[in-house]
Amino acid sequence: KLRARVSNDLPSRTRRALWERFFSDEGLRAVESETELEAHFLQSQEAGNEKRRGRMVFIGAGPGDVELLTLKGRKVLHQADLVLHDAAIPAEILELARRESTRLVADALNDELFERIVADAAGGALVVWLKTGDVPLQGAAAAEHARFRSADVPLEIIAGIATAKALNTLQISTDEVA
């Protein structure tokens, strides 16, 4: 009954925030009566209209196997507004992003891309950068991370499964079969 109102009356980001809040434990308890459901819907709608602070999340995509992406990485990717990715990221992993997200190949951070990320995050967007392997934490990557922090962009890093670990897992599985 409320789905049509949400779809027709709310912009994408607000609609998504409403459904995330609604399908929380609190929202599921509200379905006991239609009156409670309507009240929860209105409360969720108001909360969805509040300005959200965006953030930047680096996700390690591991060795490129969609089944080896971490659950946390998969969840955040599904919520992303802007998905930056290395050219080597497989299509199967990119398909996990929301269909409304913008996707850009980005192998390096230049000034133009940095400004876009900062502007999008300031507007409340969740920006994800998928990196092959694990997310590097030293050298040029550490400078990138510091640059986002100095621009007051909240930053999170979700480690990927290292290729060596994945190969060990595959080797153990092969040995067990033999």
Side-chain angles (χ1 to χ4, degrees):
K1 177 180 172 182
L2 299 174
R3 186 179 304 266
R5 284 177 46 199
V6 171
S7 296
N8 296 331
D9 298 344
L10 301 176
S12 177
R13 187 173 293 150
T14 304
R15 183 175 55 246
R16 196 168 75 248
L18 182 146
W19 288 128
E20 285 173 9
R21 182 172 154 79
F22 180 78
F23 285 109
S24 68
D25 289 338
E26 181 184 331
L28 293 175
R29 284 191 300 271
V31 242
E32 294 174 11
S33 76
E34 193 168 330
T35 305
E36 289 178 25
L37 179 63
E38 180 74 21
H40 183 74
F41 170 78
L42 293 173
Q43 183 182 25
S44 294
Q45 187 174 10
E46 288 172 15
N49 288 330
E50 294 172 4
K51 184 163 171 63
R52 293 173 39 172
R53 185 171 184 202
R55 61 190 170 126
M56 173 73 189
V57 181
F58 286 93
I59 300 175
D65 184 338
V66 69
E67 293 180 2
L68 293 177
L69 188 64
T70 66
L71 292 174
K72 185 173 184 178
R74 186 178 184 133
K75 179 181 177 184
V76 170
L77 179 59
H78 184 69
Q79 297 170 344
D81 297 297
L82 173 61
V83 178
L84 308 169
H85 60 90
D86 297 348
I89 298 291
E92 295 83 13
I93 291 178
L94 293 173
E95 287 174 12
L96 297 173
R98 283 184 325 108
R99 66 176 174 261
E100 298 92 5
S101 65
T102 302
R103 298 170 195 170
L104 299 173
V105 174
D107 289 317
L109 182 67
N110 58 37
D111 290 340
E112 181 182 333
L113 182 58
F114 176 77
E115 292 303 323
R116 173 161 186 187
I117 293 167
V118 169
D120 283 9
L126 171 57
V127 180
V128 164
W129 196 329
L130 282 166
K131 299 276 194 177
T132 53
D134 203 353
V135 178
L137 300 173
Q138 299 174 339
E144 285 179 2
H145 304 314
R147 193 171 177 194
F148 286 113
R149 287 188 184 102
S150 69
D152 199 31
V153 175
L155 180 66
E156 182 179 352
I157 297 170
I158 300 174
I161 295 175
T163 302
K165 291 255 189 221
L167 290 175
N168 274 346
T169 302
L170 293 174
Q171 183 62 44
I172 290 168
S173 299
T174 305
D175 289 345
E176 288 175 3
V177 171

